[in-house]
Amino acid sequence: MELVAFPSVLSPTLLIISVFVLVRHVLYPAFFSPLAKIPNAHPLAAFTSAWITWIRFRNIENSTVHEAHKRYGSVVRLGPSELSVNCVDDGIKTIYGKGFEKTPFYSVFVNYGILNMFSTLQSHPHAIKKKRIANIYAKSHLLSSPDIRAISTHITHKRILPLIANRAATDTPIDVFNLYRAAAVDMTTAYFFGLPVGTNHLENEDKRQHWQEQYLGSSPPDYMFFLHHLPQLTSWLAKFGIHVVPKDRFFFKDEFDAWCLNMCSGAEDLLSAVASGAEKRPGYFPVVYEQLKRITRKENMSEDPSIRLDDSATRQKGREAGDILDVPRSRQQLEIASELMDQLIATHETMGISLLYVSWELSRNPKIQDRLRAELKSLPTPVIYGSADEEVPDARSLDDLPLLHAIVMETLRLHPAVAGGQPRVTPPNASTKLGDYANIPPNTRVSSYAWSLHRNPEVFPDPDGWHPERWLESEPSSAAYQGSDKKERWFWAFSSGGRMCIGSNYAMLMMKYILAALHTNFVSTIVDDEGIEQTDGFMAGPKGDKLILAFQHAPSEVS
């Protein structure tokens, strides 16, 4: 039988294609790329991004990258064009300084189709958005703010302390993760929209639970991998009826969007009342909303209500969210709502996680808990439950307490809420030096991880231990934990540079007020901490999504 031969022209074509693939995807990345000299976190990292994508899909990214740094040093290669960098000089100071832009990883945080600070990828528009409200998040402003003091007074004395006192009197344990997330939302919505408009999740368990269901439904934790790392594939598959992320996400998102817009409307009513002559009471004024509205008006942002939000084919008509979403909105309204929604979600997650781990560590260390109580009672105006005047400490005196500050700092170091990589891209048309490696090419994805930065044993001896004394330089016992470098330079719980968390000072102060209220008046002990280990993703909450503590009234004197 005579064999039929393919045209001979195919042989050279196939050969050329094979050689191209071999050179482009094997030889070049392994031997000739500027990144070839950098240690690979895995043998496949030089050739394909499939390995690190698989690691992220399995939710073991932080621990895997950390082990790679322990083996190979401060710079490791995660993919053909991706690095993880675990140092300060020629590290986070460079990456999170100027010229490195965000990647599409952050695009999932867009609200109402409008970019906010966190989801804005380019530095210049981010700077414009940040400038609008930077002053009301400045530490000097917060420490002297009558609104912050009024909000803290009301929520600690009227909500938190009566709730815990009741649990102590009835010997009923409480899930403090729910408590702290509720407190975070209540305090933050009060600062954004005013106490009359803000939530009261601490006293209304049904609303708190409904809100949490809306939040988890709109951002389902088990599916965030697809939204962060494979957004285009996820969207493309959905066009063919393959929904790797549940369709219900859009329905929950509608309700969540409507919730925030309703509070914006409530803030408008408060502003109208003040404009009509009503008293501008501290705590009852929409501080953040008012500033955003005033600044965006100065920017001549459109206030014409011409944008509709009811054109999504996935929306379920007739839901409670429908009426509020069907109302045309202006660009200004959506700009403000997008910003405030993002900050509310971030505060809810990060403050809840951080306070949970402070309470867990204090409950495991009763002697430190007793020392903290003594320090809190030494304040000129301690938070005393049942006192006639219902005062809270001056913010400056509270912020200056050394042990309280050390406890919060050490908890944020050991248990960072945002533990995962924060990706950036090296600047175009320039080479970069990272760690000991020069000539890092443009458009290389680079990340640093708080989880790894906070576990450098040369900076934080016994890095996996909880040692608040390492932040108390005056204590003789702290010498063993001081380390050889400035701890503050490596502390990265709020990121760094121009795009670090704008609410870091706010979060620190609110956490200190909550902790002062609880640990001046009560002693906490662990009832159930199963699943307390942190998850291994971008956000690192407890795997068990809970911490059950019991509270008892503290003795009147601390020995």
Side-chain angles (χ1 to χ4, degrees), residues 153 157 381-382 384 386-392:
T153 301
H157 279 287
T381 309
I384 303 298
S387 62
D389 51 6
E390 291 190 344
E391 289 288 339
V392 295

Side-chain angles (χ1 to χ4, degrees), residues 153-154 156-166 382-392 516-518 520-522 553:
T153 301
H154 181 89
T156 55
H157 279 287
K158 298 297 186 184
R159 301 182 193 180
I160 295 176
L161 288 175
L163 174 62
I164 299 301
N166 177 264
V383 185
I384 303 298
Y385 174 62
S387 62
D389 51 6
E390 291 190 344
E391 289 288 339
V392 295
L518 289 177
T520 301
N521 297 279
F522 303 99
H553 286 279

Side-chain angles (χ1 to χ4, degrees), residues 8 14 29 36 99 137 197 207 268 381 446 475:
S8 59
L14 288 174
Y137 280 114
V197 176
K207 285 189 176 180
E268 284 288 343
T381 309
V446 291
E475 289 204 2

